[in-house]
Amino acid sequence: MGMYLDSRNPYESYKAAATGTYFVDKSALLKELIPALGTEERFFCITRPRRFGKSVMANMIAAFLGKQADTAGIFRSLQIAHEQQCYLHLNQHRVIFIDFSRVSRDCTGYAQYIGRIEDGINRDIMAAYPQCQLAFGGAVWDNLQAVFETAAQKFVIVIDEWDAPFHMSFVTAEDRKQYLLFLKSLLKGQAYAELVYMTGVLPITKYSSGSELNGFLEFDMAGSKRFGTYFGFTESETDMLYRKYRKLQQASGQALGVTRNALKDWYDGYDTASGVRIYNPRSVVYALTNNQIRNYWTSSGPYDEIFYYIRHNVAEIRDDLAWMMSGEGVEAKMLEYAATAPQLHTKDQIYSAMTVYGLLTYRKENERVYIPNRELMEQYREMLVSNESLGYMNRLARESAGMLKATLAGDTERMAEILKYVHDTESPVFSYNSEAELSAVVNLVYLAARDRYRVEREDKAGEGFVDFIFYPQYQGEDCLILELKVNATPKEAIRQIKDRRYALRFAGKLGEERRYAGRVLAVGISYDRASKKHACEVEVLS
């Protein structure tokens, strides 16, 4: 055993994950990889945003295939144990595991960084195969080839964070070229490589002008259907975890701090190419573990990360932000290589890079990008409030707190005044050529409400579908039902709320007390195209 060859670290890391309270069994991934052992199609690269379970899966593969320890105790209760032909491979392979995100102490240059890895692998190989007369200072691939020729030994190579050097400040552009050549020499066409599994955030197929890594089958989230559900949590997997959470909370006598709807609102919304929508796994696990909904994933990177991508194209992106902040999608062509470009010049390049990093999600069926969920929406809102260069979007975000305050106070004149202010901005989004644009405006002027409410559009309520319904996060808050009308009156909107009994959404089940303690407010907003005026009405229903 060594630091790289047959390392115990992947085993211990996966064991910790598999014995965790909110573990989801994704071991069926092995069923798709094992048949590729020794074939031409044995080179895999799976790219996903950070915190989507890439390292857990890399550890799982090394723990299952490697000889570092008897791991039957972990896998005999998992899905892969039912696949007899696959299970025969348990602990039968020599695995080289490389985590490229790890650096030596006081590392200041690429030569020191890559030298540590080369020396470490060579040291492990020489200790395992003393009969092969290997050279410590020789190239890793030469020593691996010598072991293959002398001992007929092949290796499974698992690489985590393959793209880490592209994010390190001490790695230059020339160093990156050398790194790609290192990977090519280590992997491409090497018979000793029985299987190569590589993960990272950045795509590889467009990363270099040469053919260093063109032997890989690459699978991303936006364009590749295969492996789509192995990273992130599906609806049914999240249901399973929530049932476990409820049982644990009840057994401990603790109140439920997380609702199932809140999990969906905050962490769902990432689209896969196969059409299955997935949850951010890190955030779900943290929310259930801590018994609290909050921002977990994006707290690992500042909101400035979003602004980084749009800062040079504010004028062009600004109107698209208005649509996306209101829950609408924006047309985009996916150019995965854009995430590796030193500069982004077009909207397609910007949105593609943001999708690769998980800041947007891409729906292949309509070729549009969206803000995935509330967790990300919070970061976008923070960006709007904090950056005056975003112009009317910045002003609108700051005005939205006043709109909610005016609504709760029944100050309809102030509500109409704010809507007029929004409508008179320079954005063509607010021309009201369609009712969708009115909906977008209303969503944006209530942006601040998302701090206190779960806002849903076109929600089934009573005997129909309501335009907006605001579910309070706290029992004592007022509930809002909002209906929009064009060329009609706000009174007609409120009449529709009453006639279709939308307020039933806030009622408890038969025999139960009402779910929310605050008032239920019916809010009607109308716009007259001829007079170009807004009118508002607020009525207390209960």
Side-chain angles (χ1 to χ4, degrees):
M1 296 180 188
M3 287 185 61
Y4 298 92
L5 178 63
D6 296 334
S7 169
R8 287 187 61 91
N9 193 67
Y11 158 65
E12 294 291 347
S13 295
Y14 187 68
K15 179 182 177 182
T19 55
T21 304
Y22 298 110
F23 170 71
V24 174
D25 179 5
K26 303 275 190 178
S27 62
L29 172 68
L30 291 159
K31 184 173 66 172
E32 299 202 43
L33 298 177
I34 287 173
L37 284 162
T39 71
E40 285 290 327
E41 295 77 31
R42 66 189 184 276
F43 297 92
F44 296 87
C45 181
I46 296 180
T47 56
R48 289 294 186 277
R50 67 175 187 268
R51 310 300 187 187
F52 261 75
K54 301 185 300 297
S55 294
V56 173
M57 300 305 280
N59 289 329
M60 178 193 72
I61 293 164
F64 183 86
L65 295 176
K67 294 184 176 183
Q68 72 285 343
D70 179 0
T71 59
I74 299 176
F75 290 99
R76 68 163 60 100
S77 61
L78 301 185
Q79 296 173 22
I80 194 62
H82 301 293
E83 304 295 331
Q84 186 175 4
Q85 291 303 311
C86 293
Y87 205 67
L88 294 174
H89 289 270
L90 180 70
N91 305 142
Q92 296 301 307
H93 300 263
R94 304 303 297 263
V95 173
I96 296 173
F97 187 97
I98 310 172
D99 180 352
F100 277 107
S101 68
R102 297 189 174 190
V103 297
S104 61
R105 186 178 62 184
D106 301 325
C107 185
T108 58
Y110 174 73
Q112 180 184 358
Y113 163 79
I114 203 69
R116 169 181 173 271
I117 295 172
E118 289 186 278
D119 289 348
I121 296 174
N122 276 337
R123 189 178 294 110
D124 290 351
I125 297 170
M126 293 177 70
Y129 300 96
Q131 74 277 19
C132 294
Q133 299 181 342
L134 307 176
F136 178 74
V140 170
W141 42 90
D142 287 341
N143 283 333
L144 290 173
Q145 180 66 24
V147 171
F148 174 66
E149 297 290 350
T150 306
Q153 179 66 61
K154 293 185 177 183
F155 301 88
V156 170
I157 301 176
V158 179
I159 294 174
D160 195 18
E161 306 267 16
W162 87 270
D163 53 341
F166 294 89
H167 303 288
M168 295 174 176
S169 59
F170 59 78
V171 177
T172 68
E174 183 59 34
D175 292 336
R176 291 168 185 167
K177 293 179 182 178
Q178 294 302 313
Y179 174 63
L180 290 171
L181 290 174
F182 169 81
L183 291 178
K184 175 184 178 181
S185 300
L186 178 66
L187 305 173
K188 187 174 181 179
Q190 298 289 13
Y192 58 71
E194 189 176 23
L195 177 76
V196 179
Y197 178 89
M198 190 160 74
T199 73
V201 174
L202 298 179
I204 61 172
T205 52
K206 299 289 184 179
Y207 216 99
S208 68
S209 57
S211 59
E212 290 90 345
L213 304 175
N214 65 357
F216 277 85
L217 300 170
E218 185 169 4
F219 303 92
D220 64 351
M221 187 158 66
S224 304
K225 292 183 178 180
R226 192 178 179 190
F227 303 121
T229 59
Y230 291 115
F231 301 86
F233 294 159
T234 64
E235 197 76 36
S236 61
E237 289 168 344
T238 308
D239 283 342
M240 178 270 292
L241 293 179
Y242 191 73
R243 288 193 297 270
K244 180 179 290 188
Y245 159 77
R246 289 190 59 153
K247 289 181 181 178
L248 290 172
Q249 294 301 110
Q250 291 167 1
S252 65
Q254 295 186 48
L256 296 176
V258 176
T259 67
R260 182 64 180 84
N261 282 336
L263 283 181
K264 187 171 186 65
D265 182 38
W266 274 80
Y267 310 127
D268 190 18
Y270 287 92
D271 297 86
T272 64
S274 61
V276 177
R277 193 165 294 179
I278 58 176
Y279 290 68
N280 183 311
R282 168 190 166 98
S283 298
V284 169
V285 169
Y286 275 51
L288 298 180
T289 300
N290 297 331
N291 195 27
Q292 181 184 6
I293 291 287
R294 55 167 293 187
N295 189 322
Y296 292 106
W297 179 67
T298 53
S299 63
S300 61
Y303 75 86
D304 288 345
E305 186 176 3
I306 298 172
F307 190 65
Y308 169 84
Y309 291 99
I310 69 173
R311 67 194 191 283
H312 296 309
N313 300 75
V314 167
E316 191 175 5
I317 300 296
R318 198 164 45 189
D319 292 336
D320 285 354
L321 277 177
W323 280 111
M324 287 192 282
M325 291 294 293
S326 67
E328 300 291 339
V330 173
E331 289 186 5
K333 181 180 179 182
M334 278 296 100
L335 307 169
E336 288 85 357
Y337 69 87
T340 67
Q343 293 184 336
L344 304 173
H345 301 287
T346 69
K347 289 200 293 185
D348 284 339
Q349 289 175 342
I350 292 169
Y351 297 151
S352 296
M354 293 176 77
T355 298
V356 166
Y357 281 101
L359 302 174
L360 294 172
T361 187
Y362 176 71
R363 295 183 189 168
K364 198 170 184 178
E365 70 271 15
N366 62 6
E367 297 184 326
R368 290 175 178 268
V369 289
Y370 296 79
I371 298 173
N373 50 40
R374 182 168 174 177
E375 188 172 32
L376 264 296
M377 190 70 77
E378 292 290 304
Q379 299 303 99
Y380 279 85
R381 187 173 67 82
E382 181 68 20
M383 176 190 69
L384 293 183
V385 172
S386 304
N387 290 280
E388 292 185 2
S389 63
L390 289 167
Y392 72 85
M393 289 293 291
N394 171 261
R395 297 193 298 274
L396 179 56
R398 287 186 275 119
E399 285 285 346
S400 65
M403 188 66 176
L404 177 62
K405 183 178 179 180
T407 303
L408 294 174
D411 187 350
T412 55
E413 290 186 6
R414 177 59 179 153
M415 291 168 65
E417 186 180 299
I418 293 173
L419 285 166
K420 182 180 185 303
Y421 167 79
V422 173
H423 182 259
D424 291 344
T425 65
E426 64 267 36
S427 172
V429 173
F430 306 141
S431 61
Y432 293 175
N433 291 320
S434 70
E435 291 193 13
E437 292 173 350
L438 177 58
S439 294
V441 169
V442 168
N443 204 323
L444 287 166
V445 297
Y446 282 100
L447 198 60
R450 294 177 182 275
D451 286 341
R452 295 160 57 181
Y453 291 89
R454 174 170 59 90
V455 182
E456 293 191 6
R457 297 184 58 188
E458 296 292 337
D459 191 30
K460 181 72 171 67
E463 298 174 357
F465 290 85
V466 64
D467 285 331
F468 292 93
I469 191 162
F470 292 60
Y471 295 93
Q473 289 191 46
Y474 307 104
Q475 287 259 335
E477 296 273 6
D478 292 335
C479 309
L480 303 179
I481 304 169
L482 198 152
E483 189 68 27
L484 310 177
K485 293 291 181 184
V486 175
N487 290 337
T489 68
K491 289 187 181 295
E492 290 177 78
I494 289 181
R495 187 181 306 120
Q496 179 176 320
I497 291 172
K498 292 178 177 178
D499 291 346
R500 297 188 180 179
R501 302 194 295 170
Y502 292 155
L504 289 175
R505 289 296 287 180
F506 298 114
K509 296 179 181 179
L510 190 63
E512 293 181 353
E513 294 183 3
R514 211 179 80 174
R515 199 180 306 173
Y516 300 97
R519 301 174 299 170
V520 176
L521 304 181
V523 181
I525 295 178
S526 68
Y527 177 73
D528 185 277
R529 286 200 177 105
S531 66
K532 301 186 183 303
K533 290 184 178 181
H534 300 85
C536 304
E537 191 85 21
V538 179
E539 183 174 326
V540 179
L541 298 182
S542 63

